[in-house]
Amino acid sequence: MIIIPGPTSKELAVEVARLSGASLVDVKSKTFPDGEVYVRILGKVEGEDIVIVHTTAPSQNTRLLELFLLIDAARDIGAKSVTAVVPYLAYARQDKRFLRGEAVSIDTIIRILNNLSIDRFITFNTHDERSLKKFSMEVEDLSAFPLLAKYFKGRGLDGALAFAPDQGAVEGAREASEVLGGGFGWIVKERDRETGEIQFEQRELDVQGRRAIVFDDIISTGGTVASATAILNGQGAKSVYVGCVHPLLVGDALYRIMREKVRGIVGTDSVPSPVSIVSLAPLIAEEIKG
Ligand code: R5P
């Protein structure tokens, strides 16, 4: 088995190779002055089982193109099988036609991937795993919430309340609570589909004097997690931490969250960032070893 490190996930790919005992073949990548991307696989992959590790975090469009080119190149030069490990699958949040005439973006991305002759697709905490049903190959949607919860537990947060900042994150909070043992809760978030503005349901939460950890799949602008933190602090939580699978951290997201008096933010290396402390490599290595 050979691991191909995509341009956005080099460190993660090296760790996956180390843990799985696979070898690495390097990739050269660049962007031409007009914005087109270029990739070249720098080793022999003919007749080999290939695992491409490449996340599609910002800049998503470039990263997706690189992913498509890497998969197609590996297949075209004779790989025996191709597994794509894409920890963060971009465009998964637009999984419905919320407004008339909108593109269902994730469906389009999956239709493209279905045409690229992939044997297996591995991703993490897709925004809504039902959108993955349109894949025509074998797909694994792994969860990193137990890993994040173990990290917090190892730092003395055993018994903390796992908290979802919206309905979509409840399952993640529930998974985390199984590790932490302190139960889980959630708030209801509504987003205005025209303006993108979010609002939270006002209700009393059972958080007085509790240590709480807000678990979400994605932190983009930080607005969701910052608001959830403000609500928990406002209702008397003793302390609030944040755990996130895909820390996109656009603009001043970290500042927005920290100013709400968060004690710590922990993300995974699904997306490289200043808070990407928990590595997905052990789960990926286990999965590709079969
Ligand atoms: C949306 O439902 C997701 O689960 C995240 O809560 C959302 O994408 C986070 O975005 P932001 O950080 O911009 O609030």
Side-chain angles (χ1 to χ4, degrees):
M1 185 164 50
I2 289 178
I3 310 284
I4 296 191
T8 43
S9 299
K10 287 184 178 169
E11 292 82 5
L12 175 60
V14 169
E15 192 56 7
V16 170
R18 188 181 71 77
L19 295 174
S20 63
S23 43
L24 273 173
V25 158
D26 271 332
V27 168
K28 179 179 175 184
S29 66
K30 63 181 176 183
T31 303
F32 289 105
D34 63 357
E36 290 183 0
V37 296
Y38 166 99
V39 299
R40 181 180 171 209
I41 298 169
L42 296 173
K44 189 180 164 306
V45 299
E46 290 88 337
E48 302 282 355
D49 294 312
I50 297 304
V51 178
I52 296 167
V53 182
H54 180 68
T55 208
T56 56
S59 301
Q60 290 91 329
N61 301 346
T62 298
R63 299 312 171 199
L64 280 166
L65 244 305
E66 287 167 343
L67 176 70
F68 302 154
L69 296 181
L70 280 171
I71 293 167
D72 219 26
R75 186 59 92 181
D76 206 34
I77 56 182
K80 185 168 125 203
S81 70
V82 175
T83 297
V85 178
V86 183
Y88 174 66
L89 179 58
Y91 286 102
R93 280 175 290 180
Q94 182 81 40
D95 55 7
K96 287 187 194 70
R97 185 164 291 116
F98 299 102
L99 299 176
R100 196 154 62 91
E102 282 180 342
V104 183
S105 312
I106 190 60
D107 287 359
T108 306
I109 299 295
I110 291 175
R111 271 194 282 275
I112 295 171
L113 289 164
N114 281 343
N115 278 292
L116 288 177
S117 187
I118 307 167
D119 295 276
R120 197 169 178 217
F121 193 89
I122 299 174
T123 188
F124 281 83
N125 298 105
T126 300
H127 188 59
D128 182 342
E129 68 175 351
R130 284 173 298 187
S131 47
L132 300 180
K133 290 208 174 97
K134 300 225 163 106
F135 269 113
S136 58
M137 80 273 316
E138 185 188 339
V139 181
E140 311 294 338
D141 187 35
L142 305 178
S143 180
F145 287 112
L147 273 187
L148 286 165
K150 269 183 211 149
Y151 178 88
F152 284 113
K153 187 175 177 175
R155 272 144 193 88
L157 282 153
D158 202 4
L161 171 73
F163 198 81
D166 59 30
Q167 308 88 300
V170 173
E171 177 55 19
R174 193 196 59 75
E175 287 173 18
S177 77
E178 283 184 3
V179 175
L180 293 162
F184 65 98
W186 67 92
I187 35 179
V188 176
K189 179 179 86 176
E190 297 294 344
R191 189 179 289 275
D192 183 313
R193 290 290 159 195
E194 294 283 357
T195 64
E197 300 233 330
I198 52 174
Q199 282 201 329
F200 291 90
E201 177 196 71
Q202 300 295 318
R203 74 179 158 95
E204 214 166 294
L205 305 163
D206 190 14
V207 296
Q208 184 70 40
R210 298 283 311 271
R211 297 171 305 164
I213 307 171
V214 178
F215 287 97
D216 207 355
D217 57 345
I218 300 167
I219 298 177
S220 178
T221 64
T224 300
V225 156
S227 303
T229 303
I231 291 170
L232 290 169
N233 278 329
Q235 296 207 18
K238 186 175 166 199
S239 57
V240 181
Y241 296 76
V242 171
C244 161
V245 181
H246 310 295
L248 306 183
L249 304 182
V250 176
D252 64 353
L254 270 184
Y255 168 70
R256 284 183 82 178
I257 301 166
M258 293 309 289
R259 77 178 174 188
E260 297 301 339
K261 302 189 180 64
V262 163
R263 292 282 182 90
I265 307 176
V266 176
T268 79
D269 54 2
S270 158
V271 177
S273 82
V275 302
S276 300
I277 297 162
V278 172
S279 182
L280 302 177
L283 282 185
I284 297 170
E286 201 178 304
E287 197 62 37
I288 61 174
K289 279 197 292 187

